Each structure stands twice: as C-alpha cells, then as structure tokens.
C-alpha cells in the first residue's frame, strides 16, 4: 500500500512550478527484471503532467539501474527521453536480453548438470549463468551510447552533469568476493560513505557497472569490474534509500515493483513448485527491503519532527512518496505466458510456473512486448492516481503539457 512520509510545515514544497533552493529531489528505482518497465509509467506521467521537471539525483539497482542510467545519459527534453525509453522497452524481446533458442538453453542446462556431477574436477565445464546474456551487453551498449573506445563509459552522464541538469547518479552492485554492497557514484559536490557491509566509490559509470547491477545471481552471469566480480546490487542492499540520502536528497520518489496484497490468498492444496519458492526468495532478497527502509524513514521523521531543529545535528527530515503496483505483476505475467518463445516456455513450465497463481519468477524474465506494454500502462495509471501527492512533493503545481 502507498506510504507517503511527510516533513514539517516549514519544508512544504513551494507552488508555481519552483522548488526550494538547496533542496535535492531524488528518484530511487529498484529491481525486478522485466517488471522494471513499470517504472517507465511514472516517467511518462511526469513528462505529461510536469514537463519542465527534472530530478537532481537518480539512483538505480538491478534493472532499475538501466532506467536510471538511461535517464541520466539522455540529452533531450523530458518528453523526448520518456518517448525513447518507452520505445526501447516496448521493442524489447527475450532475444535482446538472452539467447532463447533451444540449443543455447539446452546447452546451458547440460553444462550445469555436468558441472554438478563433476565432483569439482579441474577441467569441468564452466558455467556462469542459467542463460547466455551476451545479447544484452550489445543492446544496452547501443541504447546507453556507451563509448566502446573509452572503457565503455556513458558520456551522456558527464554532459548532463556539466550542463547542471543533474547533480549525481548512482548504480549499486554487490562484490561477490566480499559480499559487500558497492554504490558507484558519478556527480558534483558529493561525498563518499562507508557503513558495515556497504560502501560507495566515485566512478565514471560504464556499461559494465549497469550490466553488473542487473545480473540476477545464478540466472545472469556476474560482470568483472576492476579486479573483482560484481552482481545484482539488490543482494544484501538493506537500505535502498541510503544512496539518495547520502547524496543530499530531501525529497524522494521511490518506485517498487512489488505488489502488496490487501488480503491473504486462499490456502494452497498442492505442494509449492520450484518457481514459487524462487519467486518468494527473489522478492525477499531484492524487493522487500524497500518497504522496511521506508518504514524506518517514517519512524525517524516522526522523532525528528518532535525535536528542536538545533538538536537534530546532521539528521534531516525527508519527504517520501513510495509508488507500488496496484496489480500483482506476477499474476499479470501469467496471462501472457503462452506467448513466450517455445524453448523458454518449456523450461519455465518445468519449474512449475503454471502451477502457481502468481509466477513472480516468470515476471522477472518475461521480456515480452505485450507484457511490457501492460506494465507501463499500470505504472502510468498508478502515478496518475497519486498525482496530487507526487506534484506536491516535487514542488510544482499540477500542469498539463
């Protein structure tokens, strides 16, 4: 359910399309694989209703890192960026993300089985993921305008920073050798931070940072950054709002791809299939932390509001609007499952995706244009339903383009 967290009266957003000086407004985009298309609905809503608005800080993790990096790199207007981002998602098909032919998928399964049966032999088959994601690297490199001759950096980010259209952008990964969460930050007037099991590093963001952040463990292969292997930043990210707060944001919009049912579902009779176990685990690891972090922020805001400003020290009130799907995106994925490529559909059905009412695992991997379109439409409807909240937090009066 929606969770708005409000600040004190003296920090209310000003009207007339302007916002308080010195206030940084951030957008926090979480993961969810294909479900990250839901985030595009919010961007489309803002382009229509508040066309002059731009975020000062963008943070992304997992698939949300792709959207954040694209928005941070784009050189056009909000409307142009939104139109292109929507087009990219709507034209996305499974073969843009991973090789979905029977030979590739079957070969991966065989190599995994041989690896497990090898007993740790030195010359066992090497496997790094359940699918071959080489198409994703080429596709994202083109979409994000990566400079292949310069370490695959994303030059558009530096240009927007120089123009003053952006203060900072952050992408989060996990370093597999240490289990530490690393937030890679590119921006102006920023300070790095270090906390138990998480740290930040200044960097010129590259395609590898984005690919690493979006690499679902075991399913997508890890990516080498420097001398370490990195994977999906949602792993062990206990404070998804933290990067935006460290980067000085006073107001935040966070977009979750996790539906929160209002009532418990009926008890299941059959034993849960592997797909259901995997879906619950993935939600717990990657998505549930945002709700807990938002609740902590609400508690801290409540305490700070009761304290004199002179006694707050470095702590500050932060306004938050948490946008989440009004529909179960797993159930929505089940409606489009028959249209998946045959080989991929065969493999996922073997995991029991048709034996659960909400195939969350399938929803992460369903890069189907019809499903993507449905996700974007749900996101736009949800943002429209909460337009007054969003417009008030962003500090502008509601306007139509």
């Amino acid at each position: 359910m929606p969770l708005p967290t409000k600040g004190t009266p003296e920090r209310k957003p000003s009207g007339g399309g302007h916002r308080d000086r010195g206030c940084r407004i951030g957008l926090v985009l979480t993961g969810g694989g294909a479900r990250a298309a839901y985030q595009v609905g919010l961007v489309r809503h803002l382009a229509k209703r508040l066309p002059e608005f731009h975020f000062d800080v963008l943070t992304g993790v997992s698939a949300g890192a792709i959207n954040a990096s694209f928005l941070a790199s784009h050189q056009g207007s909000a409307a142009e960026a939104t139109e292109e981002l929507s087009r990219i998602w709507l034209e996305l098909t499974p073969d843009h993300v991973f090789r979905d032919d029977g030979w590739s998928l079957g070969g991966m399964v065989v190599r995994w089985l041989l690896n497990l049966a090898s007993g740790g032999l030195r010359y066992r088959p090497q496997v790094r993921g359940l699918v071959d994601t080489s198409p994703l690297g080429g596709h994202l490199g083109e979409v994000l305008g990566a400079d292949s001759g310069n370490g695959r950096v994303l030059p558009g980010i530096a240009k927007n920073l120089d123009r003053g259209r952006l203060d900072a952008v952050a992408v989060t990964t996990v370093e597999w050798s240490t289990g530490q969460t690393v937030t890679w930050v590119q921006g102006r007037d920023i300070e790095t931070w270090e906390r138990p099991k998480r740290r930040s590093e200044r960097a010129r963001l590259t395609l590898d940072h984005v690919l690493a952040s979006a690499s679902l463990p075991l399913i997508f292969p890890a990516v080498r950054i420097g001398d370490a292997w990195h994977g999906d930043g949602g792993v062990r990210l206990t404070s998804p709002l933290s990067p935006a707060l460290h980067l000085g944001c006073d107001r935040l919009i966070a977009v979750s791809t996790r539906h929160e049912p209002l009532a418990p579902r009926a008890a299941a009779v059959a034993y849960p299939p592997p797909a259901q176990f995997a879906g619950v685990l993935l939600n717990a690891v990657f998505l549930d932390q945002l709700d807990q972090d938002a609740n902590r922020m609400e508690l801290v805001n409540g305490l700070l509001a009761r304290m004199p400003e002179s006694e707050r020290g470095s702590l500050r009130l932060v306004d938050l609007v948490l946008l989440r799907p009004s529909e179960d995106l797993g159930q929505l994925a089940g409606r489009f499952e028959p249209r998946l490529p045959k080989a991929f559909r065969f493999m996922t059905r073997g995991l029991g995706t048709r034996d659960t009412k909400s195939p969350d695992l399938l929803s992460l991997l369903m890069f189907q244009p019809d499903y993507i379109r449905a996700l974007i439409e749900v996101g736009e409807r949800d943002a429209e339903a909460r337009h007054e909240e969003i417009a008030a937090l962003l500090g502008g009066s509601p306007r139509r383009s």
Side-chain angles (χ1 to χ4, degrees):
M1 57 188 298
L3 177 61
T5 306
K6 302 194 179 295
T8 54
E10 69 268 21
R11 297 181 64 256
K12 286 182 179 178
S14 58
H18 302 286
R19 59 187 189 233
D20 302 332
R21 290 184 178 180
C23 173
R24 277 184 174 176
I25 303 179
L27 177 63
V28 178
L29 300 177
T30 59
R35 286 189 287 188
Y38 173 82
Q39 300 164 357
V40 182
L42 169 69
V43 179
R44 289 182 65 176
H45 167 80
L46 293 177
K48 292 178 181 178
R49 301 295 298 273
L50 299 169
E52 302 302 322
F53 178 80
H54 68 275
F55 287 98
D56 303 303
V57 174
L58 296 163
T59 72
V61 61
S62 193
I66 298 174
N67 288 335
S69 300
F70 177 85
L71 295 173
S73 300
H74 200 276
Q75 301 297 294
S77 65
E80 291 170 340
T82 300
E83 182 67 24
E84 188 170 347
L85 184 60
S86 299
R87 179 185 58 78
I88 290 168
W89 274 99
L90 290 172
E91 292 179 354
L92 197 64
T93 56
D95 61 309
H96 283 123
V97 182
F98 53 83
R99 292 184 59 188
D100 60 356
D101 59 280
W103 286 108
S104 177
L105 293 174
M108 283 291 186
V109 172
V110 170
R111 282 194 289 274
W112 270 103
L113 293 175
L114 291 174
N115 195 279
L116 292 172
S118 68
L121 293 175
R122 182 177 181 182
Y123 296 106
R124 64 188 183 274
Q126 187 180 63
V127 288
R128 294 182 175 179
L130 188 60
V131 294
D132 179 358
T133 58
S134 55
L136 180 63
H139 184 63
L140 277 185
E142 182 179 347
V143 165
L144 297 175
D147 187 351
S148 58
N150 189 23
R152 303 208 289 185
V153 299
L154 310 181
I157 294 177
K159 293 178 182 178
N160 281 331
L161 288 169
D162 292 340
R163 295 166 61 188
R165 294 181 57 180
L166 181 70
D167 287 344
V169 57
V171 168
T172 300
T173 66
V174 63
E175 186 177 325
W176 286 120
S177 59
T178 62
Q180 192 173 43
T181 297
V182 184
T183 298
W184 307 90
V185 184
Q186 184 173 351
R188 299 181 292 114
D189 302 325
I190 58 174
E191 296 181 5
T192 57
W193 64 91
E194 186 166 357
R195 298 291 185 271
K197 283 297 178 182
R198 55 188 172 95
R199 73 179 194 272
S200 67
E201 290 193 16
R202 288 188 178 91
R204 291 188 67 189
L205 292 182
T206 69
L207 178 62
D208 290 334
H209 291 103
V210 180
L211 289 172
S213 184
S215 60
L216 291 167
L218 297 181
I219 300 176
F220 290 3
V223 177
R224 191 179 186 92
I225 300 177
D227 59 356
W229 291 95
H230 289 253
D232 196 308
V235 179
R236 304 192 74 170
L237 182 59
T238 56
S239 302
L241 302 175
S242 174
L245 298 178
H246 281 294
L247 293 172
C249 291
D250 302 284
R251 302 175 193 166
L252 291 175
I253 290 182
V255 186
S256 173
T257 59
R258 177 82 159 90
H259 172 69
E260 187 68 24
L262 299 178
R265 294 173 181 155
V269 177
Y271 189 78
Q276 189 164 343
F277 285 123
V280 172
L281 287 173
L282 288 171
N283 282 333
V285 172
F286 298 112
L287 302 178
D288 292 352
Q289 298 295 338
L290 180 59
D291 296 315
Q292 299 177 29
D293 206 17
N295 282 327
R296 285 194 295 268
M297 179 179 289
E298 186 178 32
L299 291 173
V300 172
N301 274 344
L303 292 173
L304 291 177
R306 292 170 175 79
M307 294 173 59
E309 190 170 352
S310 59
E311 297 181 9
R312 296 175 187 170
S314 61
L315 299 176
R316 65 186 185 279
L317 286 156
V318 178
D319 297 329
L320 169 69
V321 168
L322 175 57
L323 187 70
R324 68 165 67 255
S326 58
E327 298 183 29
D328 188 324
L329 303 186
Q331 289 185 1
L332 186 62
R335 302 177 201 169
F336 300 97
E337 188 267 352
R339 306 176 194 178
L340 284 170
K342 291 182 179 180
F344 185 63
R345 185 174 68 230
F346 179 82
M347 186 177 71
T348 56
R349 285 182 178 179
L351 295 173
T353 54
R354 300 190 74 186
D355 301 323
T356 175
K357 292 182 178 179
S358 181
D360 287 333
L361 175 63
L362 184 63
S363 69
L364 269 68
L365 302 173
M366 182 172 276
F367 297 96
Q368 288 285 107
D370 44 11
Y371 178 58
I372 296 299
R373 183 180 299 278
L375 291 177
I376 295 175
E377 290 173 353
V378 173
E380 193 166 6
R381 285 199 306 269
D382 291 347
E384 181 65 38
R386 299 184 64 192
H387 174 72
E388 291 186 7
E389 248 185 291
I390 293 171
L393 180 135
L394 298 183
S397 57
R399 294 179 297 170
R400 292 187 182 272
S401 59

